[in-house]
Amino acid sequence: MDCNGSFLAETESVAADVATAPVTIVVCSSCRDENGSDAHPRAGALLADATRAAARDSGTIEVRTVECLGNCKRRLSAALLRDGCWSYVFGDLTAESGSDLVTGAELFATSQDGLIPWRGRPDSLKRGLVARIPPLAMLKE
Amino acid sequence: MDCNGSFLAETESVAADVATAPVTIVVCSSCRDENGSDAHPRAGALLADATRAAARDSGTIEVRTVECLGNCKRRLSAALLRDGCWSYVFGDLTAESGSDLVTGAELFATSQDGLIPWRGRPDSLKRGLVARIPPLAMLKE
């Protein structure tokens, strides 16, 4: 599989015509800032707030929080989920990454192949990729 | 949420009575060894073979491969998936980690709460946790 999205030319050419699908951004609200501070609100909670604010006018993007995405070695974390598609985890985010997450989610919402296109992703969602998981349905024989 | 599985005592006490659910192990077959060698078969492919061999007698565990789990910074990688449960990605594995993955998958198959129990996990699946992602259905409001 091509991690870098060679399908992009096609995606871009049809983007104006395709319907978007709901995408859920899951922010880890318990993540600490780069100093490891236990202060509240946690940096992850601030990121969740910023993400909700950035998604306010979107009819496609939902924002949820969980208390641990298990990615504690790479600071602030969030996942992007779309039904039937690959699931993505990003790390090395900051409390200001909310608009990047929404930009990535909007791109994901237009995907034709279940992957987040590489072109157009904010740099934080290129450098910060932690893992991607295929949908279970794709793996059945 | 308790990442360390405080529900374990209950899980253990009922484990003998509960049915197991299918768990899929997804091995990244393109991962290189610790030297970054391009030689084939790749270390990830050897891990996939070892995992299939370890799962041979299991009626519960399926083994699949993909070409990239996006976890290239932490060497050999695999994911554990169970329908309706959290999805897990592990890194820092070796070509000999197949039996650990199957042990973790068998533990996951008995889970009552959608999480892989902490107690009983092979050390490689404790230290090697890269991320976990909640099931989309859990996040709906």
mmCIF file of all heavy atoms in Angstrom, chain B residues 65-102:
data_model
loop_
_atom_site.group_PDB
_atom_site.id
_atom_site.type_symbol
_atom_site.label_atom_id
_atom_site.label_comp_id
_atom_site.label_asym_id
_atom_site.label_seq_id
_atom_site.Cartn_x
_atom_site.Cartn_y
_atom_site.Cartn_z
ATOM 1 N N THR B 65 -1.949 -9.651 7.376
ATOM 2 C CA THR B 65 -0.823 -8.732 7.216
ATOM 3 C C THR B 65 -1.278 -7.497 6.452
ATOM 4 O O THR B 65 -2.207 -7.552 5.648
ATOM 5 C CB THR B 65 0.345 -9.384 6.439
ATOM 6 O OG1 THR B 65 -0.129 -9.839 5.168
ATOM 7 C CG2 THR B 65 0.937 -10.539 7.207
ATOM 8 N N VAL B 66 -0.630 -6.387 6.728
ATOM 9 C CA VAL B 66 -0.765 -5.177 5.911
ATOM 10 C C VAL B 66 0.649 -4.682 5.639
ATOM 11 O O VAL B 66 1.618 -5.138 6.269
ATOM 12 C CB VAL B 66 -1.594 -4.060 6.614
ATOM 13 C CG1 VAL B 66 -3.029 -4.492 6.810
ATOM 14 C CG2 VAL B 66 -0.953 -3.647 7.912
ATOM 15 N N GLU B 67 0.746 -3.752 4.716
ATOM 16 C CA GLU B 67 2.085 -3.300 4.321
ATOM 17 C C GLU B 67 2.567 -2.083 5.079
ATOM 18 O O GLU B 67 3.726 -1.694 4.947
ATOM 19 C CB GLU B 67 2.121 -3.040 2.816
ATOM 20 C CG GLU B 67 2.076 -4.340 2.028
ATOM 21 C CD GLU B 67 2.257 -4.127 0.543
ATOM 22 O OE1 GLU B 67 2.762 -3.054 0.159
ATOM 23 O OE2 GLU B 67 1.878 -5.016 -0.220
ATOM 24 N N CYS B 68 1.708 -1.459 5.846
ATOM 25 C CA CYS B 68 2.197 -0.344 6.680
ATOM 26 C C CYS B 68 1.163 0.025 7.721
ATOM 27 O O CYS B 68 0.031 0.364 7.383
ATOM 28 C CB CYS B 68 2.537 0.879 5.826
ATOM 29 S SG CYS B 68 3.307 2.207 6.794
ATOM 30 N N LEU B 69 1.572 -0.049 8.969
ATOM 31 C CA LEU B 69 0.729 0.417 10.072
ATOM 32 C C LEU B 69 1.118 1.833 10.499
ATOM 33 O O LEU B 69 0.604 2.346 11.479
ATOM 34 C CB LEU B 69 0.830 -0.545 11.265
ATOM 35 C CG LEU B 69 0.117 -1.894 11.116
ATOM 36 C CD1 LEU B 69 0.524 -2.848 12.239
ATOM 37 C CD2 LEU B 69 -1.407 -1.719 11.116
ATOM 38 N N GLY B 70 2.033 2.450 9.760
ATOM 39 C CA GLY B 70 2.367 3.847 10.025
ATOM 40 C C GLY B 70 3.189 4.068 11.283
ATOM 41 O O GLY B 70 3.373 5.201 11.709
ATOM 42 N N ASN B 71 3.699 2.981 11.839
ATOM 43 C CA ASN B 71 4.419 3.065 13.114
ATOM 44 C C ASN B 71 5.908 2.862 12.892
ATOM 45 O O ASN B 71 6.608 2.220 13.662
ATOM 46 C CB ASN B 71 3.851 2.007 14.068
ATOM 47 C CG ASN B 71 4.566 1.989 15.401
ATOM 48 O OD1 ASN B 71 4.871 3.046 15.956
ATOM 49 N ND2 ASN B 71 4.839 0.802 15.907
ATOM 50 N N CYS B 72 6.415 3.433 11.825
ATOM 51 C CA CYS B 72 7.769 3.119 11.356
ATOM 52 C C CYS B 72 8.858 3.570 12.331
ATOM 53 O O CYS B 72 10.008 3.133 12.228
ATOM 54 C CB CYS B 72 7.986 3.740 9.986
ATOM 55 S SG CYS B 72 6.638 3.389 8.818
ATOM 56 N N LYS B 73 8.519 4.448 13.271
ATOM 57 C CA LYS B 73 9.526 4.908 14.219
ATOM 58 C C LYS B 73 9.796 3.899 15.322
ATOM 59 O O LYS B 73 10.744 4.061 16.091
ATOM 60 C CB LYS B 73 9.092 6.238 14.852
ATOM 61 C CG LYS B 73 9.057 7.386 13.850
ATOM 62 C CD LYS B 73 8.608 8.691 14.498
ATOM 63 C CE LYS B 73 8.546 9.803 13.455
ATOM 64 N NZ LYS B 73 8.000 11.062 13.963
ATOM 65 N N ARG B 74 8.934 2.918 15.459
ATOM 66 C CA ARG B 74 9.118 1.959 16.559
ATOM 67 C C ARG B 74 9.182 0.528 16.046
ATOM 68 O O ARG B 74 8.604 -0.389 16.606
ATOM 69 C CB ARG B 74 8.037 2.152 17.619
ATOM 70 C CG ARG B 74 8.291 3.440 18.421
ATOM 71 C CD ARG B 74 7.338 3.632 19.540
ATOM 72 N NE ARG B 74 7.421 2.575 20.543
ATOM 73 C CZ ARG B 74 6.614 2.515 21.598
ATOM 74 N NH1 ARG B 74 5.695 3.439 21.765
ATOM 75 N NH2 ARG B 74 6.727 1.534 22.473
ATOM 76 N N ARG B 75 9.878 0.365 14.946
ATOM 77 C CA ARG B 75 10.243 -0.963 14.432
ATOM 78 C C ARG B 75 9.039 -1.893 14.229
ATOM 79 O O ARG B 75 7.968 -1.436 13.882
ATOM 80 C CB ARG B 75 11.298 -1.584 15.333
ATOM 81 C CG ARG B 75 12.533 -0.644 15.479
ATOM 82 C CD ARG B 75 13.745 -1.404 15.866
ATOM 83 N NE ARG B 75 13.542 -2.112 17.118
ATOM 84 C CZ ARG B 75 14.025 -3.325 17.369
ATOM 85 N NH1 ARG B 75 14.747 -3.938 16.460
ATOM 86 N NH2 ARG B 75 13.808 -3.907 18.521
ATOM 87 N N LEU B 76 9.260 -3.178 14.428
ATOM 88 C CA LEU B 76 8.226 -4.160 14.088
ATOM 89 C C LEU B 76 6.928 -3.881 14.837
ATOM 90 O O LEU B 76 6.935 -3.685 16.058
ATOM 91 C CB LEU B 76 8.719 -5.582 14.402
ATOM 92 C CG LEU B 76 9.464 -6.273 13.267
ATOM 93 C CD1 LEU B 76 10.779 -5.590 12.975
ATOM 94 C CD2 LEU B 76 9.667 -7.748 13.567
ATOM 95 N N SER B 77 5.853 -3.913 14.073
ATOM 96 C CA SER B 77 4.575 -3.476 14.611
ATOM 97 C C SER B 77 3.468 -4.475 14.298
ATOM 98 O O SER B 77 3.505 -5.165 13.280
ATOM 99 C CB SER B 77 4.175 -2.127 13.999
ATOM 100 O OG SER B 77 5.156 -1.151 14.263
ATOM 101 N N ALA B 78 2.484 -4.474 15.180
ATOM 102 C CA ALA B 78 1.291 -5.285 14.946
ATOM 103 C C ALA B 78 0.124 -4.646 15.679
ATOM 104 O O ALA B 78 0.314 -3.886 16.640
ATOM 105 C CB ALA B 78 1.503 -6.717 15.440
ATOM 106 N N ALA B 79 -1.075 -4.930 15.201
ATOM 107 C CA ALA B 79 -2.293 -4.428 15.840
ATOM 108 C C ALA B 79 -3.148 -5.606 16.270
ATOM 109 O O ALA B 79 -3.111 -6.677 15.650
ATOM 110 C CB ALA B 79 -3.066 -3.539 14.875
ATOM 111 N N LEU B 80 -3.904 -5.419 17.339
ATOM 112 C CA LEU B 80 -4.874 -6.415 17.791
ATOM 113 C C LEU B 80 -6.254 -5.779 17.699
ATOM 114 O O LEU B 80 -6.504 -4.726 18.304
ATOM 115 C CB LEU B 80 -4.586 -6.854 19.235
ATOM 116 C CG LEU B 80 -3.772 -8.147 19.413
ATOM 117 C CD1 LEU B 80 -2.423 -8.039 18.734
ATOM 118 C CD2 LEU B 80 -3.610 -8.481 20.882
ATOM 119 N N LEU B 81 -7.144 -6.430 16.964
ATOM 120 C CA LEU B 81 -8.480 -5.888 16.715
ATOM 121 C C LEU B 81 -9.547 -6.898 17.134
ATOM 122 O O LEU B 81 -9.427 -8.092 16.866
ATOM 123 C CB LEU B 81 -8.659 -5.582 15.220
ATOM 124 C CG LEU B 81 -7.563 -4.791 14.499
ATOM 125 C CD1 LEU B 81 -7.968 -4.550 13.046
ATOM 126 C CD2 LEU B 81 -7.302 -3.471 15.203
ATOM 127 N N ARG B 82 -10.564 -6.390 17.776
ATOM 128 C CA ARG B 82 -11.744 -7.206 18.098
ATOM 129 C C ARG B 82 -12.969 -6.334 17.884
ATOM 130 O O ARG B 82 -13.017 -5.185 18.343
ATOM 131 C CB ARG B 82 -11.664 -7.707 19.542
ATOM 132 C CG ARG B 82 -12.841 -8.586 19.922
ATOM 133 C CD ARG B 82 -12.785 -9.039 21.379
ATOM 134 N NE ARG B 82 -14.135 -9.230 21.858
ATOM 135 C CZ ARG B 82 -14.467 -9.574 23.102
ATOM 136 N NH1 ARG B 82 -13.525 -9.794 24.001
ATOM 137 N NH2 ARG B 82 -15.726 -9.696 23.459
ATOM 138 N N ASP B 83 -13.954 -6.868 17.185
ATOM 139 C CA ASP B 83 -15.139 -6.101 16.820
ATOM 140 C C ASP B 83 -15.796 -5.479 18.051
ATOM 141 O O ASP B 83 -16.046 -6.168 19.044
ATOM 142 C CB ASP B 83 -16.134 -7.026 16.105
ATOM 143 C CG ASP B 83 -17.245 -6.252 15.426
ATOM 144 O OD1 ASP B 83 -16.993 -5.136 14.952
ATOM 145 O OD2 ASP B 83 -18.379 -6.760 15.381
ATOM 146 N N GLY B 84 -16.042 -4.183 17.994
ATOM 147 C CA GLY B 84 -16.724 -3.501 19.082
ATOM 148 C C GLY B 84 -15.832 -3.136 20.255
ATOM 149 O O GLY B 84 -16.319 -2.576 21.242
ATOM 150 N N CYS B 85 -14.552 -3.467 20.170
ATOM 151 C CA CYS B 85 -13.612 -3.212 21.275
ATOM 152 C C CYS B 85 -12.594 -2.145 20.876
ATOM 153 O O CYS B 85 -12.552 -1.699 19.739
ATOM 154 C CB CYS B 85 -12.870 -4.493 21.632
ATOM 155 S SG CYS B 85 -13.952 -5.801 22.266
ATOM 156 N N TRP B 86 -11.781 -1.737 21.828
ATOM 157 C CA TRP B 86 -10.657 -0.864 21.525
ATOM 158 C C TRP B 86 -9.702 -1.588 20.582
ATOM 159 O O TRP B 86 -9.572 -2.816 20.643
ATOM 160 C CB TRP B 86 -9.915 -0.490 22.815
ATOM 161 C CG TRP B 86 -10.647 0.467 23.707
ATOM 162 C CD1 TRP B 86 -11.805 0.221 24.386
ATOM 163 C CD2 TRP B 86 -10.287 1.830 24.013
ATOM 164 N NE1 TRP B 86 -12.183 1.341 25.088
ATOM 165 C CE2 TRP B 86 -11.267 2.338 24.882
ATOM 166 C CE3 TRP B 86 -9.230 2.648 23.639
ATOM 167 C CZ2 TRP B 86 -11.227 3.634 25.383
ATOM 168 C CZ3 TRP B 86 -9.178 3.950 24.135
ATOM 169 C CH2 TRP B 86 -10.167 4.429 24.994
ATOM 170 N N SER B 87 -9.034 -0.832 19.719
ATOM 171 C CA SER B 87 -8.003 -1.386 18.834
ATOM 172 C C SER B 87 -6.639 -0.988 19.384
ATOM 173 O O SER B 87 -6.465 0.137 19.867
ATOM 174 C CB SER B 87 -8.155 -0.817 17.418
ATOM 175 O OG SER B 87 -9.424 -1.139 16.888
ATOM 176 N N TYR B 88 -5.681 -1.899 19.310
ATOM 177 C CA TYR B 88 -4.360 -1.672 19.889
ATOM 178 C C TYR B 88 -3.269 -1.767 18.838
ATOM 179 O O TYR B 88 -3.310 -2.649 17.977
ATOM 180 C CB TYR B 88 -4.071 -2.731 20.968
ATOM 181 C CG TYR B 88 -4.891 -2.575 22.227
ATOM 182 C CD1 TYR B 88 -6.224 -2.983 22.263
ATOM 183 C CD2 TYR B 88 -4.338 -2.025 23.370
ATOM 184 C CE1 TYR B 88 -6.977 -2.841 23.418
ATOM 185 C CE2 TYR B 88 -5.088 -1.890 24.540
ATOM 186 C CZ TYR B 88 -6.408 -2.296 24.552
ATOM 187 O OH TYR B 88 -7.150 -2.146 25.692
ATOM 188 N N VAL B 89 -2.264 -0.911 18.950
ATOM 189 C CA VAL B 89 -1.061 -1.023 18.129
ATOM 190 C C VAL B 89 0.138 -1.200 19.065
ATOM 191 O O VAL B 89 0.274 -0.467 20.052
ATOM 192 C CB VAL B 89 -0.836 0.229 17.262
ATOM 193 C CG1 VAL B 89 0.427 0.067 16.413
ATOM 194 C CG2 VAL B 89 -2.029 0.472 16.354
ATOM 195 N N PHE B 90 0.977 -2.161 18.714
ATOM 196 C CA PHE B 90 2.191 -2.423 19.473
ATOM 197 C C PHE B 90 3.403 -2.264 18.570
ATOM 198 O O PHE B 90 3.348 -2.591 17.384
ATOM 199 C CB PHE B 90 2.171 -3.842 20.065
ATOM 200 C CG PHE B 90 1.023 -4.082 20.991
ATOM 201 C CD1 PHE B 90 -0.141 -4.685 20.531
ATOM 202 C CD2 PHE B 90 1.074 -3.676 22.309
ATOM 203 C CE1 PHE B 90 -1.233 -4.891 21.370
ATOM 204 C CE2 PHE B 90 -0.008 -3.868 23.164
ATOM 205 C CZ PHE B 90 -1.159 -4.478 22.694
ATOM 206 N N GLY B 91 4.495 -1.757 19.127
ATOM 207 C CA GLY B 91 5.741 -1.620 18.401
ATOM 208 C C GLY B 91 6.877 -2.254 19.177
ATOM 209 O O GLY B 91 6.652 -2.943 20.175
ATOM 210 N N ASP B 92 8.098 -2.021 18.709
ATOM 211 C CA ASP B 92 9.295 -2.572 19.366
ATOM 212 C C ASP B 92 9.233 -4.085 19.477
ATOM 213 O O ASP B 92 9.782 -4.665 20.432
ATOM 214 C CB ASP B 92 9.491 -1.943 20.761
ATOM 215 C CG ASP B 92 9.656 -0.425 20.679
ATOM 216 O OD1 ASP B 92 10.195 0.070 19.673
ATOM 217 O OD2 ASP B 92 9.233 0.266 21.630
ATOM 218 N N LEU B 93 8.538 -4.731 18.534
ATOM 219 C CA LEU B 93 8.475 -6.191 18.526
ATOM 220 C C LEU B 93 9.703 -6.750 17.819
ATOM 221 O O LEU B 93 10.493 -6.000 17.225
ATOM 222 C CB LEU B 93 7.189 -6.648 17.827
ATOM 223 C CG LEU B 93 5.877 -6.143 18.442
ATOM 224 C CD1 LEU B 93 4.683 -6.492 17.549
ATOM 225 C CD2 LEU B 93 5.664 -6.703 19.848
ATOM 226 N N THR B 94 9.870 -8.058 17.872
ATOM 227 C CA THR B 94 10.947 -8.729 17.142
ATOM 228 C C THR B 94 10.317 -9.825 16.285
ATOM 229 O O THR B 94 9.125 -10.129 16.420
ATOM 230 C CB THR B 94 11.977 -9.360 18.093
ATOM 231 O OG1 THR B 94 11.391 -10.519 18.704
ATOM 232 C CG2 THR B 94 12.424 -8.375 19.163
ATOM 233 N N ALA B 95 11.130 -10.429 15.455
ATOM 234 C CA ALA B 95 10.624 -11.519 14.610
ATOM 235 C C ALA B 95 10.192 -12.716 15.440
ATOM 236 O O ALA B 95 9.519 -13.612 14.937
ATOM 237 C CB ALA B 95 11.698 -11.929 13.602
ATOM 238 N N GLU B 96 10.550 -12.707 16.730
ATOM 239 C CA GLU B 96 10.195 -13.821 17.621
ATOM 240 C C GLU B 96 8.987 -13.500 18.503
ATOM 241 O O GLU B 96 8.702 -14.209 19.460
ATOM 242 C CB GLU B 96 11.384 -14.179 18.518
ATOM 243 C CG GLU B 96 12.530 -14.866 17.806
ATOM 244 C CD GLU B 96 13.351 -13.924 16.948
ATOM 245 O OE1 GLU B 96 13.674 -12.829 17.442
ATOM 246 O OE2 GLU B 96 13.641 -14.266 15.788
ATOM 247 N N SER B 97 8.279 -12.415 18.221
ATOM 248 C CA SER B 97 7.187 -11.988 19.109
ATOM 249 C C SER B 97 5.846 -12.637 18.777
ATOM 250 O O SER B 97 4.828 -12.271 19.373
ATOM 251 C CB SER B 97 7.026 -10.458 19.043
ATOM 252 O OG SER B 97 8.195 -9.793 19.477
ATOM 253 N N GLY B 98 5.834 -13.591 17.851
ATOM 254 C CA GLY B 98 4.559 -14.175 17.424
ATOM 255 C C GLY B 98 3.767 -14.787 18.569
ATOM 256 O O GLY B 98 2.556 -14.576 18.681
ATOM 257 N N SER B 99 4.445 -15.534 19.430
ATOM 258 C CA SER B 99 3.702 -16.186 20.519
ATOM 259 C C SER B 99 3.182 -15.155 21.516
ATOM 260 O O SER B 99 2.106 -15.328 22.097
ATOM 261 C CB SER B 99 4.570 -17.237 21.216
ATOM 262 O OG SER B 99 5.726 -16.630 21.744
ATOM 263 N N ASP B 100 3.922 -14.062 21.712
ATOM 264 C CA ASP B 100 3.423 -12.988 22.585
ATOM 265 C C ASP B 100 2.154 -12.376 21.997
ATOM 266 O O ASP B 100 1.188 -12.090 22.723
ATOM 267 C CB ASP B 100 4.476 -11.883 22.744
ATOM 268 C CG ASP B 100 5.591 -12.264 23.712
ATOM 269 O OD1 ASP B 100 5.547 -13.376 24.261
ATOM 270 O OD2 ASP B 100 6.494 -11.432 23.916
ATOM 271 N N LEU B 101 2.131 -12.150 20.705
ATOM 272 C CA LEU B 101 0.941 -11.576 20.079
ATOM 273 C C LEU B 101 -0.259 -12.515 20.234
ATOM 274 O O LEU B 101 -1.378 -12.063 20.519
ATOM 275 C CB LEU B 101 1.208 -11.296 18.597
ATOM 276 C CG LEU B 101 2.132 -10.110 18.310
ATOM 277 C CD1 LEU B 101 2.512 -10.079 16.825
ATOM 278 C CD2 LEU B 101 1.476 -8.777 18.694
ATOM 279 N N VAL B 102 -0.022 -13.801 20.089
ATOM 280 C CA VAL B 102 -1.127 -14.757 20.227
ATOM 281 C C VAL B 102 -1.598 -14.820 21.680
ATOM 282 O O VAL B 102 -2.800 -14.879 21.953
ATOM 283 C CB VAL B 102 -0.704 -16.143 19.694
ATOM 284 C CG1 VAL B 102 -1.769 -17.186 20.008
ATOM 285 C CG2 VAL B 102 -0.471 -16.055 18.185
#
